[in-house]
Amino acid sequence: MLTNKEEFKQVFQKRLVALHGTEVQEATTQEIYKTLGSLVREYISENWINTNASYKKSGVKQVYYFSLEFLLGRLMGSNLLNLDIYNVCKEGLLELGIDLDDIEEAEPDAGLGNGGLGRLAACFLDSLASLELPGHGCGIRYKYGLFEQKIINGYQVELPDNWLKEGNVWEIRKSDKAVEVKFGGYVTTEQVDGRLSFLHHNYEKVLAVPYDMPVVGYKNEVVNTLRLWSAETIIGNFDAYSISTHDQRKIIEYKRSTEAITEFLYPDDSHIEGRTLRLKQQYFLVSAGIQSILHNHKKHHHDVYSLPENVAIHVNDTHPVLAVPELMRILLDDELLSWDDAWEIMTKTISYTNHTTLAEALETWPVDLMRSLLPRVFMIIEEINRRFCQQVWADNPGNWELLRSVEIIRDGVVRMANLAIVGSYSVNGVAQVHTEIIKKREMKHFYQYFPEKFNNKTNGITHRRWLLRANPLLANVITELIGSDWIKNPTELQQLSKYVKDASFQEQIRSIKHNNKLNLAKIISKECGLTVDVGSIFDVQIKRLHAYKRQVLNVLHIMDLYNRLKEDPTIDMPPRTFIFGAKAAPSYHFAKKVIKLINTVASIINNDKYINDKLKVVFLENYRVSMAEVIIPATDISEQISTASKEASGTGNMKFMMNGAITLGTLDGANIEIEEAVGDDNIFIFGLTPNEVLNYHQVGGYSSWDMYNTHPRIRKVMEQLITGEVAQQAGDFKDIYDSLLIDNDEYFVLKDFIPYVDAQLKAGQAYMNQNKWTQMAIENIAQSGKFSSDRTIKEYASEIWRIR
Ligand SMILES: *Cc1c(COP(=O)(O)O)cnc(C)c1O
């Protein structure tokens, strides 16, 4: 139906009339988008049904990837691509006078995530389906995704992201698969048939309704499922005949508080907000997801003892780690298993990924909150803790230090990472250096106790979205040169290494970059009213705004560069366009000040005629997946400048590399593995090493005042933060100034400043030799196959989940 252009045109026009009562010439973009979506979803459904039937028939082990975030972005383009009907639809629509690019633009991003962690989950789903692996997502259908960012007068303003306003063509509501989730109440015990049973009373019931979204594999007829849960009221809770005004008010309140559970995504990245509603979200997801998995398991297998052979449950960070006590609860209270049997099953089923060692991101929940919201689950956590501590003490009598560090409940809080490690059979970090830090430092006691649980799985990105779809020009010349095997097997990109010196390939690479830069320049002009020089270096930092990612270091360098240009406008440097995109958590005061600083510096520099347009600074508002897809292919320099040891992996770094941008970065996260892959000559590395940072943390010895006093250029930019033009209103950037000097610069910005400036200088000089630069770009593309999430998922599948 969609594989033949003429047929496609016919069914398209018919469907447009059926759905919207209109003809092509009169239809709005939204109507055309929805019509195409409806056809594509229909086209998907046969394979979806077949995939499910084949999993059922073969009884093959299934993986469920639990995550509070799935940052999917747009799905039309990647679905058309994976279904191999992109060209038919593109050409068919063109003959009807429609540009498919415009139609893709009509789709709102599914922004159900904050940043890297949520995008990783989305890349993993794409790889699972494309590798024909039986793996599914389990998440929350937030009514509002990550806020929409507007910049007003240089400041971030947050607007609700009403992404479902026009409906969602990709989802199917499955009311018959709804389950109930219980909150609050109290628990009593009772002897029933010689067994202690736990009875839960007076709880509030919430209905969890699943919405399924298809996850389409690349040209392989596989369609897996992303199941997103939505909270609804259970109308049966009320007796329709006895509704007084008082009851009506209670009903309205019940409806409001129930639906609030899945109303919005918490906008903190690498930081936890200890709100009750967030804990409710976590339990809601986990309870609904596990009930539905067990229900399905029991339909096809006699008992729950075989669960670990048929199901793997993976928790993405600690956010869904209540899966541990929830699975125990169901096995104990509903399936009536003994503790030991339940524990055996549970610990063979659940595995966990750690995403951070930042203290402010390690989840803890107050015991009182947990007990009142989830009384039975809390009892189980206490019992897990009691038994575990007893075991540790028996194995290591007298070792208080060990006991203190591994306890799950301590100082009135539940430590979720500890619960995750104790409850799962596998704990993985997301890049080599991150895993080493977990093993040797942050979780060293656990590592000594359970060495066999710990392993590394370096993150990856789907090359289908981030190269094939986002940069079709580049994908095409690669295929012309080395054939199309790299699409199924991305390490084949290494063949490009042979062509680093090939003059005509180099020329193609340059001309594609130029084209992509023109494209981005158009968007910058449209969105910011700013003309940028496509001959300049596009130097890009796009990622969440966070102190450890050090956007401040980037801005201070720009201020310094501007100062130097003012002193000597003739200095020989290639012109530069600095591009930023970043959302700050609405309550993260410091991060919001940094956004204001970037915009202030931008307006000073962009309005200064005397620097001969050698510098431009752009802040693109509302950074998101669909924007990343346009910016990354147009980038020359990829800024990956986090404080060493703080960025667990990074995945933005991989997307840039794959599109031929050169990394300018610290020895942090996956940057280290990128350096190993491309070699020292094809990356610009600077700054403190992870060990140097960790040693400073341990033994001290750093003073940012020393930096300030020794380096006049540092002093100058620091002073500019609090005086004169940059400061504008007095004290505007005093918080940033204070954090760098008064609070001794927790993230070593001033320590790394001079090395960063030097690395920038080197990068600028390298760019002036276009021949050499292009060779570097090609080598980066050639080595990027390792960072495909296909490689990552194959490792998870064989080493953690044991699925085929
Ligand atoms: C890849 C991606 C990220 C993660 O970027 P990092 O540089 O690794 O922090 C965040 N947001 C979006 C929209 C992304 O596509």
Side-chain angles (χ1 to χ4, degrees):
M1 147 186 112
L2 301 189
T3 49
N4 172 294
K5 191 172 66 185
E6 292 309 318
E7 253 179 75
F8 166 72
K9 277 158 62 183
Q10 278 191 358
V11 291
F12 180 85
Q13 285 168 296
K14 261 170 84 177
R15 183 65 57 90
L16 181 62
V17 172
L19 284 180
H20 301 288
T22 182
E23 309 231 309
V24 171
Q25 298 74 19
E26 304 297 320
T28 65
T29 314
Q30 188 58 227
E31 286 166 341
I32 290 170
Y33 164 73
K34 282 187 181 163
T35 304
L36 183 60
S38 131
L39 287 172
V40 174
R41 202 189 73 190
E42 186 178 312
Y43 185 69
I44 291 170
S45 26
E46 192 182 318
N47 286 336
W48 204 358
I49 291 165
N50 292 341
T51 302
N52 282 328
S54 98
Y55 289 157
K56 204 176 287 180
K57 186 154 164 261
S58 67
V60 63
K61 184 173 182 180
Q62 308 284 306
V63 175
Y64 298 93
Y65 193 84
F66 277 62
S67 180
L68 269 284
E69 303 188 14
F70 287 91
L71 188 48
L72 300 167
R74 292 176 177 146
L75 295 172
M76 181 68 85
S78 64
N79 281 343
L80 293 177
L81 177 80
N82 287 6
L83 292 165
D84 200 13
I85 55 174
Y86 185 85
N87 289 334
V88 168
C89 293
K90 173 116 190 142
E91 285 158 24
L93 288 171
L94 202 60
E95 288 176 17
L96 297 172
I98 301 163
D99 183 348
L100 178 54
D101 291 348
D102 296 340
I103 304 313
E104 288 184 53
E105 290 283 317
E107 178 174 8
D109 275 45
L112 310 183
N114 273 288
L117 176 150
R119 184 55 231 173
L120 184 76
C123 284
F124 279 4
L125 293 182
D126 186 78
S127 285
L128 280 163
S130 295
L131 294 169
E132 306 183 14
L133 289 167
H136 313 279
C138 192
I140 290 180
R141 182 181 180 268
Y142 301 105
K143 188 169 171 198
Y144 299 96
L146 187 61
F147 65 86
E148 186 186 330
Q149 179 193 56
K150 285 250 178 282
I151 301 296
I152 294 177
N153 191 24
Y155 290 100
Q156 166 175 300
V157 173
E158 303 94 27
L159 302 175
D161 164 47
N162 194 0
W163 72 293
L164 291 169
K165 169 177 68 197
E166 299 279 350
N168 175 3
V169 296
W170 307 117
E171 70 185 11
I172 299 182
R173 180 185 161 90
K174 300 264 166 144
S175 337
D176 59 313
K177 301 255 164 66
V179 299
E180 290 179 3
V181 178
K182 300 168 185 174
F183 292 99
Y186 60 94
V187 175
T188 59
T189 55
E190 192 174 282
Q191 286 289 336
V192 179
D193 301 331
R195 179 191 162 94
L196 191 63
S197 31
F198 295 83
L199 304 171
H200 194 176
H201 312 272
N202 207 30
Y203 49 78
E204 189 167 90
K205 277 196 280 189
V206 174
L207 193 67
V209 182
Y211 287 72
D212 286 354
M213 292 173 77
V215 182
V216 177
Y218 182 73
K219 297 191 190 176
N220 63 6
E221 303 191 351
V222 170
V223 181
N224 289 334
T225 301
L226 168 58
R227 176 161 282 185
L228 299 177
W229 295 91
S230 178
E232 293 185 10
T233 47
I234 298 171
I235 298 307
N237 268 6
F238 299 95
D239 179 350
Y241 293 98
S242 69
I243 296 179
S244 66
T245 339
H246 174 70
D247 288 339
Q248 276 179 10
R249 235 180 273 133
K250 275 203 335 215
I251 291 171
I252 291 167
E253 171 52 26
Y254 165 67
K255 189 167 151 60
R256 204 199 52 75
S257 73
T258 298
E259 288 169 1
I261 296 174
T262 53
E263 188 130 275
F264 70 95
L265 166 76
Y266 276 89
D268 339 292
D269 189 65
S270 299
H271 181 267
I272 78 139
E273 291 269 354
R275 309 276 187 93
T276 310
L277 199 56
R278 168 72 179 186
L279 187 59
K280 274 194 166 179
Q281 287 185 337
Q282 296 185 349
Y283 182 67
F284 173 81
L285 164 62
V286 152
S287 180
I290 291 186
Q291 287 184 58
S292 125
I293 290 167
L294 278 185
H295 183 77
N296 201 34
H297 174 81
K298 286 172 67 181
K299 256 194 341 211
H300 305 294
H301 307 274
H302 336 287
D303 58 44
V304 289
Y305 290 92
S306 61
L307 191 73
E309 283 115 75
N310 297 290
V311 168
I313 291 175
H314 197 88
V315 297
N316 193 22
D317 211 325
T318 54
H319 317 146
V321 87
L322 290 174
V324 167
E326 177 65 2
L327 182 51
M328 286 298 284
R329 183 189 69 78
I330 295 174
L331 295 176
L332 293 168
D333 297 358
D334 299 348
E335 302 298 327
L336 306 179
L337 265 56
S338 71
W339 181 278
D340 289 341
D341 285 353
W343 184 254
E344 166 101 3
I345 293 170
M346 192 277 296
T347 48
K348 282 183 174 165
T349 305
I350 297 181
S351 50
Y352 153 66
T353 297
N354 175 285
H355 280 271
T356 180
T357 55
L358 294 179
E360 67 267 36
L362 284 183
E363 269 195 297
T364 60
W365 290 99
V367 160
D368 294 340
L369 173 62
M370 191 85 92
R371 187 189 292 129
S372 68
L373 193 66
L374 308 167
R376 178 62 183 135
V377 163
F378 180 69
M379 288 171 88
I380 291 170
I381 295 174
E382 277 186 308
E383 182 62 12
I384 293 172
N385 187 43
R386 194 187 64 77
R387 286 172 184 246
F388 175 62
C389 290
Q390 204 169 49
Q391 187 64 48
V392 169
W393 191 252
D395 295 342
N396 302 272
N399 192 342
W400 284 104
E401 189 199 344
L402 172 66
L403 191 70
R404 260 201 304 273
S405 81
V406 299
E407 272 180 311
I408 297 167
I409 303 172
R410 185 177 176 83
D411 299 332
V413 297
V414 180
R415 306 196 287 191
M416 306 299 263
N418 293 27
L419 178 60
I421 297 170
V422 174
S424 53
Y425 66 87
S426 165
V427 177
N428 75 280
V430 291
Q432 275 162 17
V433 65
H434 169 62
T435 302
E436 287 309 305
I437 290 171
I438 296 175
K439 294 202 297 197
K440 306 281 160 59
R441 297 189 186 242
E442 301 302 324
M443 305 289 176
K444 67 166 186 233
H445 291 113
F446 275 118
Y447 177 57
Q448 282 157 16
Y449 197 73
F450 297 125
E452 70 289 349
K453 288 193 186 190
F454 287 77
N455 62 93
N456 177 249
K457 296 286 168 283
T458 299
N459 281 166
I461 55 165
T462 166
H463 59 287
R464 287 165 291 274
R465 177 178 293 260
W466 295 108
L467 175 50
L468 206 50
R469 184 76 275 276
N471 201 344
L473 298 175
L474 180 58
N476 285 339
V477 302
I478 292 172
T479 299
E480 276 169 26
L481 196 62
I482 63 169
S484 59
D485 285 358
W486 66 273
I487 300 171
K488 287 264 176 193
N489 186 5
T491 49
E492 288 295 313
L493 287 169
Q494 276 183 336
Q495 289 188 50
L496 293 173
S497 270
K498 292 183 295 210
Y499 300 94
V500 285
K501 298 217 155 98
D502 181 310
S504 90
F505 185 54
Q506 282 184 10
E507 191 42 50
Q508 284 179 309
I509 293 290
R510 274 194 292 275
S511 116
I512 288 164
K513 188 62 84 180
H514 183 79
N515 244 298
N516 292 337
K517 285 166 86 170
L518 279 173
N519 193 26
L520 177 56
K522 238 186 270 165
I523 289 168
I524 291 172
S525 154
K526 200 173 103 207
E527 296 208 353
C528 317
L530 204 69
T531 308
V532 298
D533 171 10
V534 291
S536 68
I537 298 178
F538 278 20
D539 178 325
V540 176
Q541 189 174 21
I542 46 173
K543 48 182 76 246
R544 283 301 288 265
L545 216 143
H546 207 293
Y548 84 83
K549 293 181 182 274
R550 299 201 296 192
Q551 280 91 354
V552 167
L553 179 58
N554 192 341
V555 190
L556 293 182
H557 166 251
I558 297 170
M559 290 166 65
D560 176 58
L561 197 54
Y562 180 61
N563 291 339
R564 279 183 279 152
L565 266 174
K566 294 287 271 190
E567 282 160 24
D568 177 9
T570 67
I571 50 176
D572 188 25
M573 60 163 268
R576 288 230 192 193
T577 303
F578 292 95
I579 298 167
F580 291 87
K583 288 178 182 175
S587 63
Y588 192 174
H589 176 81
F590 175 84
K592 292 177 120 175
K593 271 287 151 83
V594 177
I595 290 179
K596 173 66 178 170
L597 176 62
I598 297 168
N599 285 305
T600 304
V601 169
S603 92
I604 293 168
I605 293 178
N606 298 341
N607 291 310
D608 188 335
K609 290 184 274 304
Y610 298 102
I611 56 162
N612 297 325
D613 288 337
K614 276 198 166 150
L615 285 187
K616 284 269 157 58
V617 181
V618 180
F619 188 100
L620 283 164
E621 68 185 5
N622 203 30
Y623 175 56
R624 61 197 186 281
V625 172
S626 58
M627 183 180 277
E629 288 168 7
V630 186
I631 298 173
I632 291 168
T635 297
D636 297 306
I637 293 181
S638 156
E639 298 271 357
Q640 308 299 338
I641 59 177
S642 53
T643 308
S645 82
K646 302 295 175 196
E647 185 77 271
S649 163
T651 48
N653 46 5
M654 302 167 184
K655 301 168 195 164
F656 282 107
M657 170 198 199
M658 195 174 270
N659 283 277
I662 314 300
T663 306
L664 199 171
T666 46
L667 283 173
D668 199 15
N671 296 354
I672 297 173
E673 287 159 72
I674 292 177
E675 187 202 24
E676 282 167 11
V678 300
D680 287 346
D681 295 343
N682 297 303
I683 190 167
F684 301 99
I685 295 287
F686 72 96
L688 292 173
T689 65
N691 276 329
E692 285 169 341
V693 170
L694 294 168
N695 287 339
Y696 272 129
H697 283 321
Q698 249 171 21
V699 300
Y702 170 55
S703 157
S704 58
W705 280 108
D706 288 349
M707 298 295 131
Y708 179 89
N709 290 322
T710 341
H711 300 287
R713 280 161 60 185
I714 294 184
R715 192 171 331 137
K716 178 154 182 178
V717 291
M718 288 303 294
E719 275 163 9
Q720 286 173 324
L721 287 181
I722 50 167
T723 59
E725 213 183 356
V726 179
Q728 281 175 332
Q729 308 105 337
D732 215 359
F733 301 115
K734 186 79 167 61
D735 302 316
I736 298 174
Y737 179 91
D738 284 354
S739 85
L740 295 177
L741 283 175
I742 313 297
D743 303 333
N744 201 30
D745 187 15
E746 190 182 345
Y747 295 101
F748 302 93
V749 173
L750 300 190
K751 180 77 187 168
D752 276 347
F753 181 80
I754 300 293
Y756 179 57
V757 170
D758 291 345
Q760 279 284 14
L761 200 67
K762 249 177 80 182
Q765 279 158 359
Y767 189 80
M768 297 211 261
N769 182 346
Q770 275 290 295
N771 203 13
K772 182 74 210 320
W773 186 269
T774 312
Q775 291 181 28
M776 293 174 74
I778 295 172
E779 191 56 22
N780 270 270
I781 302 165
Q783 302 306 332
S784 68
K786 173 185 171 187
F787 300 100
S788 165
S789 46
D790 287 6
R791 187 265 311 148
T792 316
I793 281 297
K794 281 183 192 162
E795 291 175 3
Y796 275 88
S798 71
E799 294 163 25
I800 300 181
W801 303 325
R802 318 236 160 207
I803 52 162
R804 282 176 292 118

